[in-house]
Amino acid sequence: MTNLREFLQLVWSAIKGKEQDYTTLGIRNSIILLAIPMILEMLMESLFAIVDIFYVGRLGANALAIVGLTESILMIIYAVGMGISIAATALVSRRIGEKKYREAGSITFQLIVTGIVLALLMGGIATFFAGDLLSLMGAAPELVAEGVTYAQVIFAGNVAILLLFLINGAFRGAGLPHLAMRTLWLANGINIVLDPLLIFGIGNIEGLGLAGAAWATTIGRSLGVVYQLYHLFNGKHVLKITGDNLVISLKMILRILKLSSGGVGQYLIDSASWIFLTRLMAEFGSNALAGYTIAFRVITFTLLPAWGLSSAAATLVGQNLGARKAKRAELAVWLTARYNMVFMAVVTLLFLLFGEHVSSFFTREAEVISIATDALQIITLGYIFFGLGMVMVQAFNGAGDTSTPAFINIFVLWVIEIPLAYLMAIYLGFAATGVFIVIAFCHSLHALVSWWLFRRGTWKRVKV
């Protein structure tokens, strides 16, 4: 009972957001205090993804297919956002571990400037060519006509997407995961409320259909960024931006871009693989694509909390390396990996038992349900390995070793996964099922390669 009470007190402290020195606090307590807000942050992101696809699913298989195609393109923008976020966590956590708080604030300002410039460039190009991009992804002309407005609004609002990613990365690196959590709860809470109102309308006000979902997302995320900026500039936290930090440093921006390149490369490689798989699914019709989209959202619902737990490893690695406590950093990674694998094992069992019930919650079309169920039950067979791999990758990133995960992605996802998926789905005739089998196999292999390289320990000597 005493242990339970202490655990609940830790959980409450994590939610309240008491700031700690994670280079001296006990490792288990550090993981709990960091991971709980990160898990809750990712749970809200997952909940939004589920709610959004639930409402969009009421618009039919075409709407689901449009969302799936748009998100596969958007993953390139996500890749850049995640890449910069990795740099934010690595740089800020290292400076916080070294107790160089003013430098951490300056780095965060340069991160914001970098993110805004990149977002405007990418968003402008994607918005202008939205219809062409959907066509390139295999959408039929009528599907493009129906979905181009949705895609344009989403692409135009990508500034908010990138800033959410990178500022939350800085918050996590500074040991302020409660601020990242509250940001996503605010952004996605607004999103969830606006979704049905803007899609279907209310009273005499007519809804915007699929475009309403895009507007709900953009408004919610933009307000989340406003909340982030308030906390960066109010001077109440260990990570803060003051007037002294508001000087653009090209040297620091180049340093950020160099460190981000490995992170961006990781997610671009990963995104390109997912784009290829989505394009491959489009070969089997709208129902297959819709089923894949539903399964992908549900899988994201469970993977994001696991990423939240894994992110605790990144912060602990960065701060402890900054404090010159490499052994402590390594112990934190192994303990986090153990927790994550247990969580993923539980999720695997749930999907094997209730996959069809979960799929039928989002659509009434039998073929779509069948494909989504197959995806959930096959892909999650590799979940325990996924849990290990996530922590290993986050540990590399927290140390600032962003190139190792990028090389692993090239080898596993491009050299093996893409050719193997095409072989299984097209040449061997397994269709969608072949794609799901390859995803489970390749991401399990990815985890084992990451684990082997992490044990070599070269990440401990990376300078950022």
Side-chain angles (χ1 to χ4, degrees), residues 16-38:
K16 284 195 305 182
K18 182 179 178 181
E19 297 182 17
Q20 305 277 357
D21 184 348
Y22 293 105
T23 63
T24 58
L25 190 67
I27 294 177
R28 282 186 174 82
N29 287 356
S30 296
I31 292 172
I32 292 171
L33 289 170
L34 286 168
I36 293 297
M38 292 175 183

Side-chain angles (χ1 to χ4, degrees), residues 222-402:
S222 298
L223 292 175
V225 172
V226 172
Y227 178 82
Q228 288 177 319
L229 294 175
Y230 166 74
H231 281 284
L232 278 177
F233 285 93
N234 67 12
K236 297 180 180 179
H237 307 286
V238 64
L239 179 64
K240 56 189 175 184
I241 296 177
T242 65
D244 293 339
N245 301 131
L246 300 179
V247 179
I248 294 177
S249 168
L250 291 179
K251 182 180 178 181
M252 177 56 68
I253 289 175
L254 290 174
R255 187 176 171 189
I256 289 168
L257 290 174
K258 181 180 179 180
L259 183 57
S260 298
S261 61
V264 173
Q266 288 175 44
Y267 287 95
L268 279 178
I269 294 160
D270 198 5
S271 299
S273 175
W274 279 109
I275 288 171
F276 173 83
L277 296 179
T278 303
R279 179 66 182 85
L280 191 58
M281 291 299 297
E283 293 293 317
F284 308 114
S286 291
N287 284 335
L289 192 55
Y292 177 73
T293 300
I294 288 173
F296 188 73
R297 281 293 182 94
V298 174
I299 286 170
T300 300
F301 182 80
T302 54
L303 287 183
L304 283 178
W307 272 115
L309 177 55
S310 303
S311 295
T315 300
L316 289 171
V317 167
Q319 290 199 10
N320 282 290
L321 288 181
R324 299 184 179 181
K325 298 180 179 181
K327 183 63 177 178
R328 178 182 164 87
E330 187 172 3
L331 289 173
V333 172
W334 291 126
L335 192 56
T336 306
R338 185 189 306 171
Y339 295 154
N340 215 29
M341 292 172 74
V342 171
F343 168 73
M344 297 299 273
V346 173
V347 174
T348 298
L349 181 62
L350 291 175
F351 280 147
L352 289 176
L353 294 175
F354 306 110
E356 186 173 354
H357 296 286
V358 172
S359 301
S360 62
F361 180 75
F362 300 97
T363 181
R364 299 180 182 89
E365 299 181 35
E367 186 180 351
V368 176
I369 292 173
S370 176
I371 292 170
T373 302
D374 284 348
L376 290 177
Q377 294 181 338
I378 294 171
I379 292 173
T380 53
L381 291 176
Y383 256 30
I384 295 176
F385 292 106
F386 290 16
L388 172 66
M390 289 177 188
V391 177
M392 297 298 107
V393 168
Q394 289 288 58
F396 282 126
N397 289 333
D401 181 7
T402 57

